[in-house]
């Protein structure tokens, strides 16, 4: 089949208008002729036969697979009709077609299968795993056979596949992008050099562009906005195949997570959560298995550590809003001190993980404030805890369970119970947190201390510091207070020392 090279009318070469018009007319005539080749009476009859079988839900007769017009009709309809593809495109039909044709398909049928491969690509395996791979193998075999019989090598897609057989491999799009980057050419120019222009409008081209975005993402300044971020979060991009079983979204997540040191920007964190969801869910959760499990524990734990700050934000917003709406004077009075204390812990980077728990009323306040922006996961509480918010903080050397209202601040030397970070458990009662948790801790950690401290305004932070100092925890204590509160603390109670006098001359800070 003749294939005319395209003329770029925007080039500086001076083409006479009559030449351009004649060339355009020739292009259109060749395109029309190409569509009509091999589509005579037998072809049309078999198209109608296949369509009739599809409407009736019948198997295709042997004639479709055994005759050349039948194979051309079927491969053409696979391109034209999603219904025909769903009904008759599968591994068995490909095998039947090959065996009936003595393993040699016509050039037209192979071209139509190539068009199908590039247009649908990974979508071929949506309902039947491995279908894309099978079609790729068939195309390489058929193309090689055609080229071995040809006296003159053409310039169509048959020649491209013969020359660039790697395009038919599972990681064909990734290989294309890698080879493109090696040349330094823009993607479209490299595609034109290969001879694939006109075959990049479907899913294959979409996957190539998605992988190209990954390469761009590696160059975006850490934490900053770039148009590629808007593309990466699209499901059609993030779910595009990348390498092996990995998708483009997995590659993007690895880059965003690995390139971020310390706290992520809100923008990058939101992109990560939009693609993969919150990693603080059960390991059996479908989305966790799909997106987080392939990334490995180190990346999962890193992001969970980032999200501890999100939990704190939600906890503080729930407590503050409830105090304001209910005009609870006691809650409002104690809120600033709790907020400063918790934010001081986070500012020192000691918080490694967290778990947020919201009663139904607290949940209402948070959702009302954030509306659809709430990406964090949380456990629920009800009954006595309906108006409360509780946060668990894993601080490495110590652990905290802190709640709103009259809920005590509980301190533990060791993690009190694995269920606090077991995301299969998503409901807690007052009894779970104040009776069962300490009891479980005594049973599991004999000789390891814990304490529950009531939030008396003048004493609770001093007692927290004393507990921590006695267990060799060293923190920037002034960061847990306002400047005036720290001065009052320092001069009234001194600086705690382990197992010693609580009053000590303060030196600096």
């Amino acid at each position: 089949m003749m294939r005319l090279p395209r003329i770029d009318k925007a080039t500086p070469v001076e083409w006479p208008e009559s030449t351009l018009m004649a060339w355009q007319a020739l292009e259109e005539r060749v395109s029309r002729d190409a569509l009509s080749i091999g589509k005579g009476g037998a072809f049309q009859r078999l198209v109608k036969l296949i369509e009739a079988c599809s409407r009736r839900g019948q198997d295709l007769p042997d004639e479709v697979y055994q005759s050349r017009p039948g194979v051309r009709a079927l491969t053409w309809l696979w391109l034209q009709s999603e219904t025909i593809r769903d009904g008759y495109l599968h591994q068995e039909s490909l095998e039947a077609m090959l065996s009936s044709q003595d393993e040699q398909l016509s050039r037209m049928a192979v071209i139509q299968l190539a068009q199908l491969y590039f247009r649908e690509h990974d979508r071929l395996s949506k309902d039947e795993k491995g279908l894309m791979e099978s079609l790729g193998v068939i195309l390489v075999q058929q193309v090689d056979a055609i080229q071995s019989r040809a006296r003159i090598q053409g310039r169509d897609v048959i020649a491209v596949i013969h020359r660039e057989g790697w395009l038919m491999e599972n990681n064909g799009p990734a290989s294309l992008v890698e080879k493109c980057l090696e040349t330094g050419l823009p993607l479209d120019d490299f595609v034109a050099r290969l001879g694939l222009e006109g075959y990049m409008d479907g899913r294959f081209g979409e996957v190539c562009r998605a992988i190209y975005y990954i390469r761009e993402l590696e160059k975006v300044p850490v934490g900053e906005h770039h148009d590629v971020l808007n593309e990466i979060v699209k499901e059609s991009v993030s779910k595009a195949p990348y390498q092996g079983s990995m998708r483009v979204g997995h590659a993007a997540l690895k880059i965003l997570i690995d390139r971020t040191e310390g706290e992520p920007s809100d923008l990058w964190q939101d992109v990560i959560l939009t693609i993969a969801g919150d990693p603080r869910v059960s390991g059996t959760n479908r989305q966790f298995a799909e997106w987080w499990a392939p990334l490995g524990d180190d990346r999962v734990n890193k992001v969970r550590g980032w999200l501890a700050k999100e939990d704190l934000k939600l906890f503080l917003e729930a407590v503050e809003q409830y105090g304001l709406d209910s005009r609870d004077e006691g809650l409002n009075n104690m809120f600033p001190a709790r907020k400063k204390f918790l934010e001081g812990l986070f500012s020192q980077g000691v918080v490694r993980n967290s778990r947020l728990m919201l009663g139904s009323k607290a949940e209402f306040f948070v959702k009302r404030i954030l509306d659809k922006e709430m990406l964090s996961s949380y456990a629920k509480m009800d009954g006595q805890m309906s108006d409360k918010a509780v946060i668990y903080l894993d601080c490495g050397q110590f652990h905290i369970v802190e709640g709103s209202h009259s809920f005590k601040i509980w301190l533990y030397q060791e993690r009190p119970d694995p269920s606090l970070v077991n995301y299969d458990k998503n409901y807690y009662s007052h009894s779970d947190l104040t009776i069962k948790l300490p009891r479980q801790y005594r049973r599991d950690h004999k000789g390891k201390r814990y304490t529950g401290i009531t939030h008396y305004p003048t004493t609770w932070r001093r007692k927290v510091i004393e507990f921590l100092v006695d267990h060799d925890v060293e923190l920037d204590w002034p960061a847990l207070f306002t400047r005036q509160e720290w001065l009052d603390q320092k001069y009234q109670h001194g600086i705690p020392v382990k197992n010693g006098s609580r009053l000590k001359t303060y030196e600096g800070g």
Side-chain angles (χ1 to χ4, degrees), residues 180-195:
C180 171
L181 294 172
E182 288 172 5
T183 66
L185 291 172
L187 185 60
D188 288 344
D189 290 352
F190 182 71
V191 166
R193 175 187 285 187
L194 288 178

Side-chain angles (χ1 to χ4, degrees), residues 144-321:
D144 288 349
I146 289 173
Q147 292 294 83
S148 69
R149 299 192 300 267
R151 287 176 296 176
I152 300 175
Q153 302 301 309
R155 298 177 58 241
D156 59 6
V157 71
I158 298 283
V160 174
I161 294 173
H162 181 66
R163 186 177 66 249
E164 317 289 353
W166 50 267
L167 288 166
M168 300 293 103
E169 296 174 0
N170 288 357
N171 60 344
S175 297
L176 185 148
V177 172
E178 292 296 338
K179 293 176 186 295
C180 171
L181 294 172
E182 288 172 5
T183 66
L185 291 172
L187 185 60
D188 288 344
D189 290 352
F190 182 71
V191 166
R193 175 187 285 187
L194 288 178
L196 271 184
E197 69 268 40
Y199 287 89
M200 295 291 283
D201 295 335
R203 181 61 176 165
F204 184 91
E206 192 174 63
V207 173
C208 288
R209 285 185 286 274
I211 295 171
Y212 197 72
Y213 296 147
I214 289 295
R215 297 296 175 259
E216 289 294 311
L217 190 60
E218 292 172 340
K219 298 181 287 187
V220 176
V222 175
E224 293 188 13
H225 174 71
H226 190 281
D227 288 344
V228 70
L229 296 172
N230 298 332
E231 299 298 323
I232 288 295
V233 296
K234 294 177 181 177
E235 189 171 324
S236 61
V237 175
S238 66
K239 289 195 172 184
Y242 184 60
Q243 291 175 342
S245 61
M246 300 294 282
R247 298 177 180 178
V248 166
H250 292 123
L253 291 168
K254 286 182 177 181
I255 292 170
L256 293 169
I257 295 168
D258 292 349
R259 293 187 66 204
T260 301
E261 298 295 335
E263 294 295 322
S265 67
D266 289 342
L267 173 64
W268 278 32
Q269 180 171 298
D270 286 350
V271 169
I272 290 168
L273 296 181
T274 301
I275 293 173
D278 195 317
R280 298 165 304 172
V281 294
S282 167
T284 60
N285 178 278
R286 181 194 61 78
Q287 191 159 19
F288 184 93
E290 180 179 5
W291 289 109
W292 290 107
L295 300 183
D297 291 343
D298 288 345
R299 292 189 181 93
V300 171
N301 290 332
K302 186 175 182 179
V303 176
R304 284 175 174 173
W306 295 345
L307 295 175
K309 189 173 183 179
E310 180 77 6
D311 278 351
L312 175 66
K313 172 187 170 186
L314 297 177
F315 172 79
L316 294 175
E317 287 183 343
V319 175
E320 183 176 31
Q321 194 60 45

Side-chain angles (χ1 to χ4, degrees), residues 19 22 88 96 106 226 264 276 298 311 345 359 399 402 405-406 486 490:
T19 300
Y88 300 116
S106 69
H226 190 281
D298 288 345
D311 278 351
L345 288 177
H399 300 254
E402 166 73 305
H405 296 72
S406 58
W486 177 243
K490 180 177 63 172

Side-chain angles (χ1 to χ4, degrees), residues 314 317 363-375:
L314 297 177
E317 287 183 343
E363 178 186 20
F364 168 78
F365 288 123
V366 169
K367 285 187 173 180
R368 190 180 70 181
I369 296 166
L370 299 182
D371 193 26
K372 295 179 181 178
E373 297 176 16
M374 188 169 180
L375 296 172

